[in-house]
Amino acid sequence: MTQYISIQKAMDKGSGKVSIRGWVHRERGSNKLKFITLRDSSNVIQCIFERQNFEKLWGDIDHLQVESSIMLTGEIKKEKRAPTGYELHVTDFQIVGKSDKFPISKDQSVEFLADNRHLWLRSLKMIAILKIRSTVFGAIDEYFKKEGFYEYHSPIFQAVQCEGGADLFSVDYFGKKDVFLGQTWQLYAEPAIFGLEKIYTISPSFRAEKSKTSRHLTEYWHAEMEIAWATFDEMINYGEGLLKHIIKKVVESNTKELESLGRDPKELEPTIKKPFIRMTYDDALKILKDKCKMTVQWGKDLRTVEEEKLTKLYNVPVIVTHYPKEVKAFYMTEDPDNSKVVWGCDFLAPEGHGEIIGGSHREPDIDKIKKRLRDDGEKLEEYEFYLDTRKYGSVPHAGFGLGVERVIKWICKLDNIKDTIPFPRTMERYKP
Ligand code: ATP
Ligand code: MG
């Protein structure tokens, strides 16, 4: 039986007879020669059919369309002029699946590509991004396991909310209407630290984001951690450690993909090597004023434009801490030295990409939590299970959530978050 190897392995071998299989990525020809660029998951290679060797089958070869799947055997050799430096002279072939005229060709609109997302996944751009995405997921898992965290799972159908009611997705749960898709695992994670102490997850989160921005999806993958006994700083150190690990893994494993996307891996190196910038919210306002000529009124959250300007000043992530209480969630610990601010932080990716992690130390005082829930108009009865975390052997604890697609957007230097996920979901799009 023929042993098929990947295109990359065939090129690594570099000479002699090889058998490869894949899809026709490009094709062109004359009545004597047919050139195809064959693609598999590993790479592309130029393949040449000579008519004199396939006189009887020339019709089939001549009609090979883009995206036909084929299996080829031939002699591989170095060829400087070929797109990936090698070329295969075909001696034998088999067409596995013919292709209709492929709808995607050059220069099509963003809308058209979104309608044909299932086909666009075959583009070299998407293949590169999805490979990096795979590395990122693996790196997150690896980091937390290495640091002694247990993987833990919260329900997705939830009946309490903690990131603001405005962007909840309700579901009809057997006629009951107070059920919605989780925006975060947090309220279901905190109860678990009493058993497991250090936990993490990578799970979808759902937010009915009504604004069109380049960094919001309605369904995104959320890497979250929660840790018992931790101080605010310890939690932040884990966030920094995690990002360094992710970037290190991607730079090690995906140089080729990064370069193909126009991202020089060197630009990511400071994140691996240098400490991140840490500043308070007050410092951030001062820097925005002095260096960016932007005035933010104290008490307002940093908007996308401000995060953009601020992070363009740095080549490593910026960690902003001590935000005003009003702009942050009810569960964040009030700073004992200044009750106007909380021990909450956002990690902002450099070069204008903005928030990638939101984290905090969790408020230990049950009365403060109750007051803030009431102020937010929440029904305390619904939170009883959560409030139990502060009744039975409460300990200081902290945690964060990282938006996986936001991190990929930054790593791949993309303008929009949509291309970081196979089938992006936004307010306007939920198909295909
Ligand atoms: P933003 O202010 O950008 O909407 P947020 O403050 O609502 O973010 P958190 O509630 O702190 O975000 O969520 C934790 C992390 O999840 C964020 O730091 C971000 O990386 C990611 N995230 C939040 N909302 C979205 C979204 N709609 N699409 C993709 N990622 C998101
Ligand atoms: Mg939000």
Side-chain angles (χ1 to χ4, degrees):
M1 244 188 49
T2 313
Q3 277 293 321
Y4 290 92
I5 57 174
S6 71
I7 292 174
Q8 188 58 53
K9 283 227 170 84
M11 296 197 300
D12 293 344
K13 190 171 171 237
S15 64
K17 187 176 161 188
V18 294
S19 296
I20 55 178
R21 57 192 166 188
W23 292 264
V24 176
H25 189 64
R26 294 220 171 82
E27 57 84 21
R28 71 188 161 87
S30 62
N31 67 14
K32 289 215 175 68
L33 289 173
K34 174 94 172 179
F35 290 89
I36 66 161
T37 307
L38 191 76
R39 180 192 78 239
D40 71 5
S41 61
S42 73
N43 212 329
V44 299
I45 185 171
Q46 174 165 294
C47 306
I48 301 168
F49 297 79
E50 283 182 58
R51 183 167 185 160
Q52 60 186 24
N53 301 333
F54 297 105
E55 199 53 65
K56 276 201 199 124
L57 298 168
W58 191 247
D60 289 347
I61 295 169
D62 199 31
H63 286 109
L64 267 181
Q65 297 239 43
V66 164
E67 290 309 323
S68 306
S69 48
I70 55 175
M71 309 206 284
L72 303 174
T73 297
E75 293 288 324
I76 190 166
K77 65 173 179 53
K78 268 207 169 108
E79 170 52 66
K80 263 201 234 117
R81 287 164 301 175
T84 45
Y86 288 87
E87 137 184 306
L88 184 90
H89 286 262
V90 182
T91 52
D92 196 8
F93 77 98
Q94 192 183 328
I95 299 173
V96 180
K98 285 191 176 153
S99 177
D100 288 358
K101 187 166 169 29
F102 201 60
I104 299 178
S105 55
K106 261 193 172 163
D107 301 327
Q108 264 150 340
S109 71
V110 174
E111 263 324 276
F112 184 85
L113 295 180
D115 288 337
N116 289 284
R117 189 72 176 178
H118 54 296
L119 301 176
W120 182 238
L121 295 181
R122 306 176 184 204
S123 63
L124 296 185
K125 178 178 178 187
M126 285 310 297
I127 293 171
I129 295 171
L130 293 177
K131 283 184 186 173
I132 291 170
R133 183 178 167 96
S134 172
T135 305
V136 171
F137 275 76
I140 295 171
D141 225 44
E142 195 178 82
Y143 177 77
F144 282 121
K145 292 260 159 66
K146 172 170 81 82
E147 294 293 333
F149 285 72
Y150 293 100
E151 185 166 2
Y152 166 84
H153 304 101
S154 79
I156 299 287
F157 287 131
Q158 300 183 359
V160 287
Q161 62 85 20
C162 76
E163 298 299 333
D167 56 12
L168 286 176
F169 272 115
S170 311
V171 286
D172 184 330
Y173 199 80
F174 306 106
K176 296 210 173 50
K177 294 281 170 14
D178 55 350
V179 179
F180 39 81
L181 302 177
Q183 299 166 302
T184 162
W185 79 333
Q186 192 186 322
L187 301 190
Y188 298 90
E190 287 184 57
I193 58 157
F194 298 85
L196 297 174
E197 297 190 39
K198 296 168 82 172
I199 53 176
Y200 79 99
T201 200
I202 315 179
S203 152
S205 275
F206 301 88
R207 299 188 183 195
E209 307 281 2
K210 288 176 199 81
S211 55
K212 289 187 214 163
T213 79
S214 58
R215 56 184 222 187
H216 288 92
L217 295 164
T218 52
E219 175 182 318
Y220 72 96
W221 286 77
H222 207 168
E224 298 187 84
M225 67 85 100
E226 196 69 35
I227 176 168
W229 312 103
T231 62
F232 186 39
D233 279 341
E234 280 164 346
M235 179 273 292
I236 292 176
N237 293 342
Y238 278 112
E240 180 162 345
L242 172 62
L243 286 169
K244 281 184 171 353
H245 187 72
I246 294 172
I247 301 294
K248 185 164 166 280
K249 281 284 156 183
V250 172
V251 169
E252 278 169 13
S253 325
N254 299 107
T255 311
K256 194 176 91 189
E257 286 76 24
L258 290 170
E259 283 168 352
S260 78
L261 293 165
R263 160 64 91 188
D264 181 351
K266 282 207 180 67
E267 294 165 345
L268 295 168
E269 266 164 22
T271 296
I272 307 173
K273 292 182 184 145
K274 286 177 23 184
F276 293 3
I277 309 285
R278 300 188 186 199
M279 63 175 74
T280 63
Y281 169 86
D282 287 4
D283 295 336
L285 296 202
K286 196 163 177 311
I287 294 169
L288 279 166
K289 188 153 179 258
D290 296 347
K291 297 201 179 153
C292 312
K293 310 274 169 271
M294 292 181 107
T295 311
V296 179
Q297 199 193 333
W298 199 95
K300 295 266 184 253
D301 205 355
L302 298 184
R303 295 172 305 161
T304 306
V305 276
E306 286 128 14
E307 286 184 1
E308 220 176 272
K309 280 273 175 343
L310 182 66
T311 59
K312 278 193 172 150
L313 301 173
Y314 305 98
N315 62 1
V316 298
V318 180
I319 307 167
V320 182
T321 61
H322 300 80
Y323 279 86
K325 196 157 56 182
E326 306 88 272
V327 304
K328 290 290 178 194
F330 70 86
Y331 50 74
M332 298 194 183
T333 305
E334 201 176 277
D335 182 350
D337 298 328
N338 176 3
S339 66
K340 286 202 170 71
V341 303
V342 286
W343 285 347
C345 63
D346 284 352
F347 284 56
L348 313 178
E351 307 165 342
H353 287 276
E355 182 178 340
I356 48 176
I357 290 183
S360 73
H361 193 266
R362 316 307 192 189
E363 178 60 63
D365 183 336
I366 192 167
D367 294 321
K368 283 191 179 143
I369 297 183
K370 283 183 179 168
K371 178 171 183 309
R372 283 165 70 188
L373 278 171
R374 267 192 231 103
D375 291 349
D376 288 349
E378 293 296 322
K379 290 193 203 115
L380 284 192
E381 316 82 83
E382 299 290 345
Y383 290 83
E384 253 164 41
F385 83 94
Y386 177 72
L387 295 171
D388 278 354
T389 55
R390 309 304 198 261
K391 279 193 204 160
Y392 304 103
S394 184
V395 291
H397 62 287
F400 65 73
L402 167 151
V404 181
E405 286 77 16
R406 296 252 181 114
V407 172
I408 298 169
K409 172 179 177 284
W410 160 45
I411 291 175
C412 297
K413 210 174 181 174
L414 303 174
D415 295 332
N416 197 295
I417 196 167
K418 285 185 207 163
D419 276 341
T420 62
I421 187 163
F423 291 93
R425 299 296 184 234
T426 61
M427 192 168 131
E428 302 95 50
R429 186 166 291 274
Y430 51 93
K431 291 177 187 173

